[in-house]
Amino acid sequence: MKAVKVVIVILVILLLGAGGGAYYIWNGLQPVKASDQATKFTIEPGMGTSKIADVLYKNGLIKNESVFKGYLKWKNEGSHFQAGVYEVKPGATFDELIAKLNSGEVVKEAMTRITIPEGYTIEQIAKKVSEATGTSTEEFLKLANHPGDEAVAAFKDVPESANLKHAAEGYLFPDTYEFKKGTNDNDIFHRMMEQMQSKLDNIPDLQQKLKDRGITLHELLTIASLVEREVVVDEERPLVAGVIYNRLDKKMKLEIDATVQYALAEPKERLLYKDLKVESPYNTYLHDGLPPGPICSPSIASIEAALSPKASDYLYYVTKKDGSHEHLFAKTYQEHLKNIKKSNSTTK
């Protein structure tokens, strides 16, 4: 009888132990108390499942490390977890946590977006960067004048000339950029310059085309910048580029208003006759040939137009005043005068 009692006691203990173990596992599988306040945690590269379980436990996202590790082993999970910074609201199930870690659904880093429109000058770009980052425009302009040894290959063709307003003018590609918050001006500047280099590298046979046309890359970007500031309608870019080449070939002054605007301390909505006499190497009303360098950041469309201009006998063009932004083209000065009169008559 005594032996029977002992057996019963042992069975009760075993049953209680089994029940306790089952409850231990069941409880460990349950999500922690739900909360709307997300918890941020980091999974480092090479971190194993034991350490990951420890991170989740210490951040209050699971109740039991051992149960989580056992669950991973049972589900054959954990080998594809991705490193990164995660945000999870307490209350997520094991399966939800596993899915997030497998997918690499990490927290996006705080980014700064800067959009540089086509035709912007270095000074306008510096202002854009300053507004986005809080740094001074002066710091960016220093880089534009002295890019240093890290300048891209294209920039190495810039002639050493005291006549350049800003050495890097025309060498920063107009685009939309995203940078991590806190990125310094030097990195931003060189990223924009590298983007220009990338665009140039994608132009087929660029060096041969430059050689065939008898111009340098610097001259190409200068012509492209003139086209950029003179033309709005894309179809006219190659034609205007052709006019520029025609005038250069005939040793005619370019007389491009945009170069005068660039020479002025502050651009004007409308140039006056006296503005055309401002003394500057960029003033193509006073000086022969191209200005010393680009007057803005040209688009790829303007660069391609400057590289492959449309052949014509045109030497003049004037903007229509009807709001279309199109031009009237002429072969002679007399035709040009008629076009000016015609253009003024279309003013709305």
Side-chain angles (χ1 to χ4, degrees):
M1 190 70 175
K2 187 176 181 180
V4 173
K5 288 182 179 180
V6 171
V7 171
I8 292 173
V9 170
I10 292 173
L11 287 173
V12 170
I13 291 173
L14 289 173
L15 288 171
L16 289 173
Y23 176 77
Y24 174 84
I25 295 172
W26 176 85
N27 184 62
L29 288 169
Q30 303 310 303
V32 299
K33 185 178 179 181
S35 171
D36 288 331
Q37 184 65 45
T39 298
K40 185 179 290 187
F41 63 93
T42 302
I43 302 300
E44 302 289 350
M47 190 177 279
T49 55
S50 293
K51 185 60 179 174
I52 291 172
D54 183 56
V55 169
L56 295 175
Y57 177 74
K58 287 181 177 178
N59 281 278
L61 295 170
I62 60 174
K63 290 182 176 180
N64 190 297
E65 303 156 80
S66 298
V67 173
F68 183 73
K69 287 187 290 183
Y71 189 81
L72 292 178
K73 189 172 183 180
W74 178 59
K75 298 278 285 187
N76 196 27
E77 292 281 5
S79 60
H80 296 95
F81 287 171
Q82 299 184 45
V85 179
Y86 292 83
E87 270 190 350
V88 177
K89 290 181 180 180
T93 65
F94 280 8
D95 287 335
E96 289 170 339
L97 289 169
I98 291 168
K100 184 176 282 286
L101 294 171
N102 275 334
S103 66
E105 192 181 323
V106 297
V107 176
K108 289 186 178 180
E109 294 187 69
M111 304 293 284
T112 297
R113 175 173 286 195
I114 304 174
T115 297
I116 306 302
E118 297 167 347
Y120 256 38
T121 64
I122 282 284
E123 292 179 5
Q124 289 174 309
I125 294 173
K127 185 178 179 182
K128 270 275 188 179
V129 172
S130 176
E131 290 170 350
T133 65
T135 57
S136 68
T137 57
E138 287 74 16
E139 288 302 312
F140 196 86
L141 290 175
K142 283 180 184 178
L143 292 167
N145 295 328
H146 305 286
D149 296 335
E150 297 178 22
V152 297
F155 185 77
K156 291 179 172 59
D157 289 336
V158 176
E160 294 184 10
S161 170
N163 288 331
L164 290 172
K165 188 174 181 180
H166 297 295
E169 188 76 82
Y171 287 82
L172 305 185
F173 192 74
D175 208 342
T176 295
Y177 298 87
E178 282 196 347
F179 303 95
K180 293 180 183 178
K181 280 193 178 294
T183 300
N184 61 47
D185 281 2
N186 185 69
D187 289 342
I188 292 173
F189 175 85
H190 283 93
R191 167 80 178 283
M192 292 178 178
M193 188 173 274
E194 287 163 0
Q195 184 73 336
M196 175 62 82
Q197 182 69 60
S198 175
K199 296 296 182 181
L200 293 173
D201 289 342
N202 286 330
I203 297 176
D205 305 317
L206 173 61
Q207 293 305 320
Q208 186 59 50
K209 290 177 180 177
L210 289 173
K211 185 177 179 181
D212 292 344
R213 190 153 290 283
I215 60 174
T216 65
L217 178 60
H218 186 71
E219 290 170 331
L220 172 71
L221 292 178
T222 301
I223 295 169
S225 73
L226 301 179
V227 173
E228 188 64 48
R229 292 306 294 263
E230 289 286 283
V231 182
V232 173
V233 180
D234 283 341
E235 292 76 13
E236 291 188 346
R237 293 180 195 272
L239 194 55
V240 169
V243 173
I244 292 172
Y245 282 112
N246 288 346
R247 292 181 72 92
L248 291 172
D249 290 342
K250 291 183 176 296
K251 309 299 181 185
M252 298 173 66
K253 287 184 174 65
L254 293 180
E255 298 183 344
I256 292 177
D257 288 357
T259 63
V260 179
Q261 291 280 16
Y262 187 75
L264 297 175
E266 291 289 338
K268 294 184 174 181
E269 186 173 334
R270 185 174 181 178
L271 291 174
L272 302 176
Y273 181 72
K274 65 178 182 179
D275 295 323
L276 305 184
K277 296 182 179 181
V278 63
E279 182 49 55
S280 167
Y282 285 90
N283 186 347
T284 56
Y285 278 86
L286 295 181
H287 300 283
D288 295 330
L290 291 171
I295 61 172
C296 70
S297 291
S299 63
I300 194 65
S302 289
I303 294 172
E304 289 174 343
L307 194 59
S308 302
K310 185 174 181 179
S312 76
D313 295 326
Y314 293 135
L315 293 171
Y316 304 90
Y317 58 85
V318 63
T319 305
K320 294 180 181 180
K321 303 301 190 296
D322 60 359
S324 68
H325 301 293
E326 295 176 344
H327 292 87
L328 296 172
F329 294 85
K331 298 175 184 178
T332 67
Y333 186 63
Q334 287 70 29
E335 289 178 5
H336 181 54
L337 291 177
K338 290 179 181 178
N339 281 343
I340 292 175
K341 186 176 181 179
K342 182 179 178 181
S343 174
N344 290 332
S345 69
T346 62
T347 303
K348 289 184 177 181

